[in-house]
Amino acid sequence: MNRNSVRAIAFLFAFLVVSFSVLGQQPQAPGIPTTGFPALDEYRASRVAIYTDDFGELKRYREADAALGSPASGENRVVFLGDSITDYWQLAEYFTGKPYVVINRGIDGQTTPQMLVRFRQDVIDLHPAVLVVLAGTNDVAGVTGPTRNQDIEANYASMAELARAHGIRVVFASLLPVNNYTEDAKESFAQRPRERILTLNGWLKEYCAKNGLVYLDYFSAMIDAKGMLRRDLSDEGLHPNASGYRIMAPLAEKAIAQAIASRP
């Protein structure tokens, strides 16, 4: 084989390596900076239409909210507001025979600013007796952009103040722990530093104590000896499985009862 042939083969090999590398990359949507996490970048790119056309995703529950109308006389409603952890929770299976009606208003992928946008439609206008908020994990991960703890806390405070103005008792749930026990869990775990989760949970607990709200501590009931989400409570390190929800349900039930009992 002569020198020219060797050069041609080397050039072809280099071209193929570069080509396959480019083809294997996920395209980044124009105007959306990379987060350094490929799966998160891909997810954010898939939601560009939501972020630009319906940031709060009001469309998701608009018709369902209108169909509910006002509560009947003597009817107590409990709205669960949150992200995918709430969205995936089949509440009716866990809260049967209770002296209240549970209404799921979770939306996959949402952050606290998005919940504030839909707060009037999906909470206030439903006239619940109690609101249970489980949020913050996607804020920490930067799903809708980098977010400081102070900004997350301000959004929680705004929700509490809006609820109070409308006579709604508030339960703030702790952020859940996460783990990295599986390959699929490693990226979502890296996006959610344990220190930030602990700091936000500490703030939530203190805020609830100072403002007469109920703090719902899922975190302490779901961690293992390493301070991570117990492996048996989640299949991918972030979302609870059925076993996880079975631990969460009685804790939520107790918090709701406490909130209802504290109503004037």
Side-chain angles (χ1 to χ4, degrees):
M1 184 180 293
N2 61 37
R3 184 176 298 176
N4 289 336
S5 298
V6 171
R7 286 176 177 173
I9 292 171
F11 176 81
L12 178 60
F13 178 78
F15 174 79
L16 289 173
V17 168
V18 172
S19 298
F20 282 117
S21 175
V22 171
L23 288 172
Q25 292 175 358
Q26 293 294 340
Q28 186 67 16
I32 298 185
T34 180
T35 65
F37 296 102
L40 180 57
D41 286 342
E42 184 179 358
Y43 181 77
R44 279 161 53 87
S46 73
R47 295 173 67 85
V48 169
I50 289 172
Y51 297 155
T52 56
D53 298 338
D54 184 12
F55 180 71
E57 297 183 76
L58 290 158
K59 182 180 179 181
R60 167 72 183 274
Y61 290 114
R62 183 176 286 130
E63 292 184 2
D65 289 342
L68 275 175
S70 297
S73 178
E75 176 188 353
N76 278 330
R77 290 177 174 174
V78 177
V79 169
F80 283 70
L81 182 71
D83 47 48
S84 55
I85 296 172
T86 299
D87 195 1
Y88 302 164
W89 194 352
Q90 302 299 315
L91 292 174
E93 297 178 8
Y94 294 83
F95 295 90
T96 57
K98 307 303 177 188
Y100 46 80
V101 176
V102 291
I103 301 172
N104 192 320
R105 288 298 178 263
I107 297 183
D108 178 22
Q110 282 215 328
T111 55
T112 54
Q114 291 177 295
M115 294 175 204
L116 269 176
V117 169
R118 63 187 179 96
F119 197 85
R120 180 167 297 277
Q121 173 188 286
D122 290 348
V123 179
I124 295 171
D125 289 350
L126 300 183
H127 306 287
V130 177
L131 167 67
V132 180
V133 180
L134 174 55
T137 189
N138 292 327
D139 300 64
V140 172
V143 171
T144 52
T147 308
R148 304 176 307 164
N149 280 13
Q150 298 96 309
D151 299 321
I152 304 170
E153 293 162 5
N155 291 334
Y156 273 114
S158 294
M159 285 189 260
E161 290 164 10
L162 285 167
R164 183 183 301 114
H166 292 272
I168 303 168
R169 300 298 298 176
V170 175
V171 175
F172 278 152
S174 67
L175 281 71
L176 269 60
V178 292
N179 72 44
N180 63 353
Y181 291 132
T182 65
E183 192 64 32
D184 290 341
K186 289 181 179 179
E187 181 171 314
S188 62
F189 178 83
Q191 294 160 8
R192 296 165 172 84
R194 184 171 184 267
E195 295 74 17
R196 285 196 70 184
I197 293 175
L198 289 173
T199 298
L200 282 168
N201 285 345
W203 181 88
L204 281 168
K205 185 176 182 179
E206 183 178 357
Y207 183 86
C208 288
K210 287 181 177 179
N211 292 276
L213 312 182
V214 179
Y215 178 64
L216 170 50
D217 186 6
Y218 290 136
F219 186 93
S220 298
M222 302 178 77
I223 58 171
D224 60 16
K226 296 181 179 179
M228 296 195 288
L229 179 60
R230 282 170 42 188
R231 189 165 187 170
D232 62 311
L233 302 183
S234 175
D235 299 326
E236 35 72 282
L238 177 62
H239 299 92
N241 53 25
S243 297
Y245 285 126
R246 279 195 291 270
I247 286 180
M248 293 167 65
L251 297 174
E253 182 181 351
K254 182 178 179 181
I256 292 166
Q258 183 180 344
I260 291 175
S262 66
R263 293 187 77 199

